[in-house]
Amino acid sequence: MRDDIAFPVTTGSAVALYGWTLQEVVLILWALYVLVLIVIKLPELTIAMVRIRGCVQRRWIELKGVFNRAK
């Protein structure tokens, strides 16, 4: 095993040795943060989508009833 490769990875100095800048680190952390937020909000999104679908279906049925009475 080559210690010259493992050492920078374990100490965190790989950022300097492999040419990463603070901008890349921040972008990676931001992407992880957004991914975590999406995963946290998925259950709420599915509940909201079910509610919206039910509301649209009820309105569609009411609208069809209005058009059927007009005939």
Side-chain angles (χ1 to χ4, degrees), residues 32-62:
L32 289 173
Y33 174 71
V34 169
L35 183 66
V36 167
L37 287 180
I38 290 171
V39 169
I40 288 172
K41 292 295 181 180
L42 276 178
E44 294 176 25
L45 177 66
T46 56
I47 292 169
M49 294 300 292
V50 169
R51 290 180 63 195
I52 291 169
R53 183 174 178 246
C55 179
V56 168
Q57 282 180 340
R58 286 191 303 273
R59 298 293 179 192
W60 179 252
I61 291 169
E62 289 176 12

Side-chain angles (χ1 to χ4, degrees), residues 2 5-6 8 10 13-14 18 22-23 26 36 39 45-46 49-50 58 60 63 67:
R2 292 180 49 193
I5 294 174
T10 59
S13 60
Y18 298 123
L22 185 58
Q23 182 177 356
V26 169
V36 167
V39 169
L45 177 66
T46 56
M49 294 300 292
V50 169
R58 286 191 303 273
W60 179 252
L63 188 62
F67 284 127

